[in-house]
Amino acid sequence: MVAETHAAAHAAPAHADGHGGHSLLHHHFDDMAQQRECHSLGMWLFLATEVMMFGGLFFAYTLYRMIYPGAFHAGSHHLNHDLGTANTFVLLFSSLTMAMAVHAAAERNKRALLWYLAITVFLGLAFLGIKAVEWGTDFKEGLVPGVRWTYYLEHPDEIHELTKLHVGTQHVQLYFVVYFCMTGLHALHMIVGITLLLVFMALGAKGAFTNGNDQPVEIVGLYWHLVDIIWVFLFPLLYLIGPLHLHMLGGQH
Amino acid sequence: MARRPQNSPPTQQVPVHAAAHAGHAHGHDHSHVPGEPHIVPVKTYVLVFTSLMVLLVATLVAAAFDLGSVNLPVAMAIAIAKAVIIMTFFMHLKWSSVMVRFFATFAFFWLAVLFLLTMSDYVARDWHTAPRIPLIGEARDPNPYEAAPPSRPAGQAPAAAPGGGSGH
């Protein structure tokens, strides 16, 4: 029997080495190496579906920016670049603390794990707080399509400027639809990530990840880093659209 | 680390185990024991974060200058560099198996397929050159996709309508 021989060959290292952590081996895996590999692979497969989901929004962004470059330029100017930069820093820093939490779990250092998870949660909340301030400003200025789109009613002079550049305010509105969809879906992922980290803190306080079972922290870290990567692309695309050039408007005629 | 939890004696690894799996696991890194977490030095993480900060500054500097049509490619190149660094080190792809790296890479390959095929359709069909919606106070462009207006003075030839109606 192939299976029997296989099992026998692995019995000694997997179960009889006196290492308590190996009771963490699920029965359908041969050994911890295979189990780790499968867990990583499964998470990366999920992350691939996340890339495709955000990819649809990135495609919408690309298409509408290609068709209405002037409107995207005008819309981008309404965003607060300083707050966007601050948020990029906060998220990149949270990726460092998340990586340090994974490191602490691998070293079975419960105290460090809990601290790094707590700092990561704090940074995640700081990101959402800054985002909420930005959205609040957008609402006050009347830049929320479908909810409060009054900015250009209150600034008719700017309509005139845009008209000279062949930019319609309805296309600036389109920019804000894309902006709110992309940052909204990203913020939803942040909320999910923060919730997961809070659960991990509660379990981690009981020692669930510092007994050799460190991989769940690594897996949740993969999710956190992917959400960070998405923001790395959102920031220049939404906030830092360069100055408008007339030749860019070719597609609008 | 100063505090080791109570229940973790140093790992005893049976040599046969390591030898049996040297073939498929974690290719180039011989110091790593299969089945155990790969512990990345803190120094590596700090260096990675430093390089991410340098790239963030590069993003802002590039955006401060008007590079014309090169603006977008430069911004995207820096963003891709950031993403690759995060995936390689923070997401441990450097120490992952070929299979995991393959999955991670192909996520972006499928994304490229989505962009290329869909965008080629949009570009080739000339949809984006369809007449603009007229702005406030602006005369309406003649719409080549609309049928000629039903009521026009008798004896006058219909306006030229390139591609009008028959093309679709």
Side-chain angles (χ1 to χ4, degrees):
Chain A
M1 292 286 288
V2 175
E4 238 167 67
T5 328
H6 197 51
H10 287 84
H15 303 294
D17 60 356
H19 182 211
H22 279 182
S23 62
L24 299 161
L25 179 64
H26 297 291
H27 70 274
H28 51 287
F29 292 116
D30 285 344
D31 52 37
M32 291 303 282
Q34 190 197 36
Q35 180 169 307
R36 290 191 84 89
E37 166 86 2
C38 284
H39 289 171
S40 285
L41 198 61
M43 190 59 192
W44 273 104
L45 188 58
F46 170 69
L47 294 187
T49 68
E50 289 276 44
V51 168
M52 291 313 285
M53 179 169 67
F54 275 98
L57 283 172
F58 276 103
F59 182 82
Y61 171 93
T62 308
L63 182 67
Y64 287 126
R65 182 170 171 181
M66 184 182 83
I67 302 175
Y68 309 114
F72 271 56
H73 165 83
S76 173
H77 264 241
H78 288 297
L79 301 188
N80 187 327
H81 294 196
D82 295 337
L83 290 184
T85 306
N87 253 350
T88 309
F89 172 78
V90 166
L91 264 202
L92 289 176
F93 190 52
S94 81
S95 258
L96 174 67
T97 58
M98 186 70 236
M100 291 303 295
V102 174
H103 179 86
E107 291 217 312
R108 307 190 182 197
N109 185 340
K110 188 163 104 177
R111 192 180 145 88
L113 170 68
L114 292 178
W115 269 110
Y116 282 124
L117 287 180
I119 298 170
T120 311
V121 166
F122 172 78
L123 292 169
L125 290 173
F127 176 91
L128 286 179
I130 293 172
K131 205 85 215 96
V133 168
E134 287 188 71
W135 285 338
T137 310
D138 294 337
F139 183 79
K140 260 182 249 156
E141 292 186 349
L143 288 168
V144 187
V147 179
R148 193 161 183 275
W149 184 258
T150 53
Y151 182 86
Y152 288 105
L153 286 177
E154 291 155 14
H155 301 82
D157 48 316
E158 289 190 31
I159 298 183
H160 186 63
E161 288 299 310
L162 291 177
T163 306
K164 278 196 283 189
L165 293 166
H166 295 281
V167 172
T169 58
Q170 71 271 42
H171 299 143
V172 182
Q173 199 168 3
L174 190 59
Y175 165 85
F176 274 96
V177 169
V178 172
Y179 164 77
F180 281 110
C181 285
M182 295 183 98
T183 56
L185 188 63
H186 181 266
L188 193 65
H189 278 77
M190 292 293 297
I191 291 167
V192 170
I194 289 167
T195 311
L196 282 172
L197 290 186
L198 288 173
V199 171
F200 271 61
M201 282 177 71
L203 295 174
K206 295 180 194 158
F209 306 118
T210 40
N211 57 356
N213 182 32
D214 63 292
Q215 208 192 7
V217 183
E218 189 186 341
I219 299 279
V220 82
L222 289 179
Y223 176 86
W224 191 267
H225 294 309
L226 184 89
V227 175
D228 184 21
I229 287 177
I230 288 162
W231 181 261
V232 158
F233 284 94
L234 287 183
F235 173 58
L237 288 178
L238 293 174
Y239 289 78
L240 303 176
I241 298 179
L244 186 63
H245 293 282
L246 282 177
H247 70 84
M248 292 177 182
L249 297 176
Q252 281 187 283
H253 296 283
Chain B
M1 292 292 135
R3 286 182 184 218
R4 275 209 165 247
Q6 47 289 40
N7 54 353
S8 61
T11 309
Q12 297 272 312
Q13 202 64 44
V14 179
V16 179
H17 182 233
H21 290 277
H24 76 79
H26 307 274
H28 47 273
D29 192 354
H30 299 293
S31 65
H32 175 56
V33 182
E36 294 295 316
H38 187 101
I39 298 182
V40 182
V42 174
K43 198 180 143 194
T44 307
Y45 284 147
V46 173
L47 272 175
V48 165
F49 178 69
T50 312
S51 56
L52 286 174
M53 285 299 106
V54 170
L55 286 171
L56 174 57
V57 172
T59 305
L60 296 171
V61 169
F65 291 100
D66 180 9
L67 305 172
S69 52
V70 197
N71 266 335
L72 183 62
V74 168
M76 283 301 93
I78 297 173
I80 289 169
K82 278 187 207 153
V84 168
I85 288 174
I86 292 172
M87 286 170 69
T88 307
F89 297 99
F90 282 168
M91 298 174 91
H92 290 185
L93 280 186
K94 183 171 166 41
W95 303 282
S96 297
S97 69
V98 173
M99 186 68 133
V100 170
R101 287 186 202 172
F102 181 81
F103 270 56
T105 313
F106 262 65
F108 296 94
F109 174 78
W110 298 128
L111 190 63
V113 169
L114 181 143
F115 266 73
L116 278 174
L117 293 187
T118 319
M119 196 53 88
S120 65
D121 189 37
Y122 274 103
V123 172
R125 285 200 194 195
D126 255 9
W127 283 354
H128 64 289
T129 61
R132 285 186 301 113
I133 299 166
L135 301 173
I136 299 163
E138 193 184 31
R140 192 177 170 83
D141 289 342
N143 186 345
Y145 295 100
E146 266 174 14
S151 60
R152 57 175 175 270
Q156 193 180 325
S166 62
H168 292 271

